[in-house]
Amino acid sequence: MDTIEQVKQVAFSHFRGVLNMSCVQDGCFKALVAVEVGDTVKPLLLVGNAHNEEEDGHCIAVLNPDKALVDTISAGCAYGARTLKEIVAKRCDVALDLWIENYMPADRAVTVSMRYKTHHFQPAKFAVS
């Protein structure tokens, strides 16, 4: 599985967990998790919001962000595709802006509205504890 698809699947899985556990209509979330990419463990930043009544929402997934980028991207904020690309450029390996419709079949539930991928993947910038 390629890196983009792996990040997309981890983000979708995390989103579904947030959606199932959220007790508010528009629950914002921000999480930093460790994922294994190839033979390396890297941090993955997941930021978004989940609408539990509509079973949909938004997620930004950033693989191997620098530490300052973790603080820059805020839960509950919306970024246009161009702005988000400018924010993440050269500061991570992969960034995806996703719209998730949990009520759809899994193969059609995730729409990628922005994708950034560096030309040269970096070693993990920090460890998630």
Side-chain angles (χ1 to χ4, degrees):
M1 171 183 331
D2 77 335
T3 305
I4 298 280
E5 188 61 31
Q6 183 179 1
V7 168
K8 190 169 122 179
Q9 285 186 6
V10 171
F12 180 48
S13 178
H14 183 81
F15 176 86
R16 291 178 82 180
V18 169
L19 189 64
N20 291 334
M21 300 192 63
S22 179
C23 61
V24 296
Q25 166 55 14
D26 190 17
C28 295
F29 63 89
K30 184 171 187 175
L32 193 58
V33 298
V35 295
E36 191 170 344
V37 179
D39 59 351
T40 307
V41 176
K42 293 186 176 185
L44 177 63
L45 174 64
L46 300 167
V47 179
N49 60 335
H51 313 123
N52 62 3
E53 287 181 20
E54 288 84 13
E55 291 192 49
D56 63 12
H58 176 258
C59 182
I60 297 170
V62 184
L63 179 65
N64 202 22
D66 61 32
K67 285 192 175 188
L69 188 55
V70 172
D71 295 330
T72 300
I73 298 176
S74 301
C77 287
Y79 300 93
R82 174 178 270 177
T83 301
L84 185 58
K85 264 191 182 178
E86 288 174 5
I87 291 170
V88 301
K90 299 180 182 176
R91 298 176 69 187
C92 65
D93 290 351
V94 169
L96 301 175
D97 188 18
L98 309 169
W99 179 255
I100 302 172
E101 298 170 299
N102 192 51
Y103 53 85
M104 298 288 282
D107 63 328
R108 296 187 327 199
V110 181
T111 302
V112 178
S113 55
M114 187 283 297
R115 180 177 115 165
Y116 167 84
K117 183 177 177 185
T118 187
H119 294 291
H120 305 286
F121 284 84
Q122 300 281 323
K125 295 181 179 170
F126 60 91
V128 177
S129 52

